[in-house]
Amino acid sequence: MQIYLNLIKNTNFAQLKELFMRIDILTVVPELLESPLSHSIVGRAIKKGVVEIHVHNLRKYGIGPRKNVDDYNYGGDAGMVMMVEPVFKMIEELKSERDYDEVIYMSPDGDVLNQGIANELSLKENIIILCGHYKGIDHRIREHLITREISVGDYVVSGGEIPAALLADSIVRLIPGALTDETSALSDSFQDDLLSPPVYTRPAEFNGWKVPEVLLSGNPKLIQAWQDEQALERTKRLRPHLLEKKSK
């Protein structure tokens, strides 16, 4: 976590626009990404100039008069497969304009997204995210064009657009300037491989349900000790594998 804390401490927010990240998302269904990337923290970060997110329709390089981006599966299995050529041409176009740190494919069998991956990617400058669709993408794309594959879990969804939005959100919120309180993300669950402690707000009592007295004490040391204890207890109970990983 220290590298991210140092990044925030050393950031001159008056010159923040010099530090922005660019994310290019390649998809055959750009409409699926319009709302998730236009509102809340991600939308505000775009307006502030913290990040640029560009969604590209792969049909720009579709084949034939109907701009096809998929074809039948060699081998005869059910389902259509996204073709190499549209993806190749779009990536080549983008790479001709700037250098990219990663070309990521959202894949069910990629590395499972976690906070460490989000932290790492938030320090990049330019990344491409490719959304699969239909049965998947021609494997030659994965062999020759993709630098990293990321999954959001061991299940299959209709396309990579929602996973891509998830990945983008997890990255953008870590970029200095995206959140109102630049250190807020550093106390989230999974930073330091611990779950976050419970949080409360006003009123101090509702329906007989009370906020823990220590949080009302005004004593920072007592509050921090309580939060550390709660984070450890919740992690032991809900995500014990994180503590095993932390001890290695």
Side-chain angles (χ1 to χ4, degrees):
M1 187 176 86
Q2 189 60 42
I3 187 172
Y4 309 102
L5 186 57
N6 289 341
L7 175 67
I8 285 171
K9 285 181 177 178
N10 295 327
T11 296
N12 181 347
F13 289 95
Q15 299 175 352
L16 187 60
K17 288 189 177 181
E18 298 177 6
L19 304 174
F20 77 88
M21 169 186 278
R22 177 181 171 118
I23 301 174
D24 290 273
I25 304 178
L26 282 51
T27 172
V28 296
V29 196
E31 297 82 3
L32 287 176
L33 290 160
E34 289 176 1
S35 181
L37 301 178
S38 300
H39 303 283
S40 191
I41 291 170
V42 176
R44 290 196 296 270
I46 292 171
K47 291 178 181 177
K48 290 166 67 176
V50 173
V51 64
E52 289 184 4
I53 301 181
H54 300 268
V55 178
H56 305 272
N57 192 337
L58 283 165
R59 293 191 186 278
K60 175 180 179 180
Y61 289 113
I63 308 301
R66 299 186 63 184
K67 298 294 184 181
N68 292 336
V69 294
D70 61 314
D71 209 333
Y72 293 105
N73 192 342
Y74 275 137
D77 291 341
M80 304 294 280
V81 177
M82 288 175 60
M83 294 185 288
V84 175
E85 187 173 348
V87 176
F88 176 80
K89 287 185 174 180
M90 182 65 76
I91 290 176
E92 285 294 294
E93 176 188 315
L94 292 170
K95 283 186 172 180
S96 72
E97 299 169 355
R98 67 193 60 81
D99 294 327
Y100 284 89
D101 302 294
E102 298 279 6
V103 181
I104 299 167
Y105 172 49
M106 303 308 301
S107 164
D109 51 359
D111 295 329
V112 178
L113 178 61
N114 58 33
Q115 193 61 45
I117 291 174
N119 287 342
E120 178 188 346
L121 291 176
S122 74
L123 298 178
K124 305 295 184 182
E125 185 175 354
N126 302 313
I127 63 174
I128 293 172
I129 304 175
L130 172 63
C131 304
H133 218 78
Y134 312 115
K135 185 69 174 178
I137 64 175
D138 188 302
H139 198 72
R140 289 169 290 186
I141 299 171
R142 301 172 75 169
E143 291 178 316
H144 300 288
L145 301 175
I146 300 301
T147 64
R148 187 166 196 169
E149 299 190 6
I150 295 177
S151 168
V152 294
D154 294 338
Y155 51 88
V156 176
V157 293
S158 299
E161 288 77 19
I162 294 175
L166 265 174
L167 177 62
D169 188 288
S170 72
I171 294 170
V172 170
R173 66 190 312 281
L174 294 168
I175 302 172
L179 299 178
T180 303
D181 180 349
E182 289 82 19
T183 63
S184 176
L186 301 179
S187 61
D188 287 343
S189 288
F190 306 111
Q191 296 287 11
D192 280 349
D193 294 321
L194 291 173
L195 299 184
S196 61
V199 293
Y200 300 85
T201 188
R202 295 177 178 83
E205 182 174 349
F206 174 77
N207 202 29
W209 308 331
K210 297 181 178 180
V211 171
E213 288 294 331
V214 65
L215 297 180
L216 307 176
S217 68
N219 187 319
K221 289 185 178 180
L222 288 179
I223 292 172
Q224 186 62 59
W226 180 87
Q227 289 174 333
D228 292 344
E229 178 185 335
Q230 289 293 313
L232 184 60
E233 186 280 326
R234 294 186 77 245
T235 305
K236 283 181 179 178
R237 177 164 49 89
L238 300 173
R239 297 288 194 279
H241 68 279
L242 292 175
L243 294 177
E244 296 171 9
K245 172 181 165 185
K246 192 176 178 67
S247 65
K248 291 181 180 178

